[in-house]
Structure formats: C-alpha cells, structure tokens
C-alpha cells in the first residue's frame, strides 16, 4: 500500500491528493493526464459497439496512442465504425425512400434497423467473451483498415 510523500499517511494509487495533509501525490499525475489509462483493451473494444454512440468510442480508440499498436482493438473500432455507417445509410437513404411508399405494415428500413441493432448486441456479447468475430463485408473492410498503420 502506498504512502503520502509528505506526511506518510496511507493513500491509494488513484488518489491525487492526500486526505490528511492535502499534498499532491506524484504517481497520480500519469492517470490524471491520460483518461484512457484505466481502460482495458477489452473494454475499449466493447465500447465501440454501443448502439448509436459507439462511433464516438471508435474514434477515440483510433486516435489514442494507447491502442495504436493493438490490432484487435483497432479492428473492433473500425468494425464498430463501419456498422454505424451502415446504420446511417439505412437512416438517411433508405428510410426517406420507404416513407414515400406509405406501407406501414412492412418497411424494409425498420427491419434493417432491427437487424443492425441485433448485430450491435451480438458483437457486444462476442467481444465481452474476447472472441474476435468478423462480420461479412464490414469485417473484411475493418480487417484491412486495422492492418494499415
């Protein structure tokens, strides 16, 4: 267990300041400057598949120095990003087209939205078990993108 550099009080590794004397702890600066220091590669990969907002995690993972050389995490980030692009294509291109047909019973765009949501959930489960699953077409693009460095 670490101790305060000034007063000797016990502190944890995540404490930035001592609870007793208030002095700044030297080991806490690395974690304070790097918000991704505690995120494991598995967690980063899972975050890339969160429906609707996983693209933000994907961009952060791809831009982070921590995961620059981790090909598996980069693969999941690209695959999550491409899956989000597929959802956008359905939302912005196909949905307006099918709204014009006025057939509320069977709309292909709604079916595709449900399918993509199911794929996101499936990928969260696979990634949480640390299984690398490559989706058809999107997975191949992600594999090529992750290989480029």
């Amino acid at each position: 267990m670490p101790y305060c550099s000034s007063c000797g009080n016990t502190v944890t590794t995540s404490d930035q300041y001592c609870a007793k004397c208030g002095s700044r702890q030297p080991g806490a600066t690395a974690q304070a400057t790097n918000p991704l220091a505690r995120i494991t590669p598995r967690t980063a990969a899972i975050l890339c598949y969160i429906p609707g907002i996983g693209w933000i995690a994907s961009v952060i993972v791809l831009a982070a120095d921590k995961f620059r050389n981790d090909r598996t995490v980069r693969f999941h980030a690209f695959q999550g990003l491409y899956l989000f692009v597929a959802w956008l294509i359905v939302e912005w291109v196909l949905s307006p087209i099918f709204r014009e047909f006025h057939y509320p019973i069977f709309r292909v765009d709604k079916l595709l939205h449900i399918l993509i949501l199911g794929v996101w959930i499936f990928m969260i489960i696979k990634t949480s078990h640390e299984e690398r699953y490559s989706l058809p077409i999107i997975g191949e693009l992600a594999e090529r993108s992750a290989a480029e460095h």
Side-chain angles (χ1 to χ4, degrees):
M1 178 162 288
Y3 298 95
C4 174
S5 57
S6 295
C7 70
N9 185 38
T10 54
V11 294
T12 64
T13 55
S14 62
D15 287 340
Q16 293 183 5
Y17 297 96
C18 175
K20 185 176 181 182
C21 69
S23 65
R24 186 166 185 80
Q25 299 303 303
T29 57
Q31 290 178 353
T33 59
N34 186 4
L36 299 177
R38 290 187 168 183
I39 295 181
T40 64
R42 178 178 169 232
T43 303
I46 291 170
L47 290 174
C48 294
Y49 293 112
I50 295 176
I53 59 171
W55 67 272
I56 298 169
S58 296
V59 170
I60 292 171
V61 163
L62 292 172
D65 288 333
K66 180 177 181 178
F67 303 112
R68 189 167 308 270
N69 295 322
D70 192 336
R71 191 169 172 178
T72 302
V73 175
R74 291 177 55 80
F75 165 77
H76 287 297
F78 277 115
Q79 188 163 258
L81 202 57
Y82 294 149
L83 195 55
F84 180 72
V85 169
W87 182 83
L88 284 178
I89 290 171
V90 171
E91 182 68 25
W92 292 349
V93 177
L94 296 178
S95 287
I97 293 171
F98 284 103
R99 277 188 212 119
E100 294 300 318
F101 290 131
H102 302 293
Y103 293 116
I105 297 171
F106 180 73
R107 287 192 37 194
V108 176
D109 60 324
K110 297 297 180 188
L111 183 67
L112 289 173
H113 275 130
I114 292 170
L115 176 71
I116 292 172
L117 179 65
V119 171
W120 267 324
I121 294 168
F122 174 77
M123 288 309 302
I124 287 173
I125 293 168
K126 284 292 193 183
T127 307
S128 68
H129 291 126
E130 295 184 359
E131 295 178 27
R132 184 176 175 157
Y133 185 83
S134 181
L135 295 169
I137 300 169
I138 293 174
E140 295 170 12
L141 290 172
E143 191 68 53
R144 279 191 240 143
S145 299
E148 295 175 5
H149 195 220

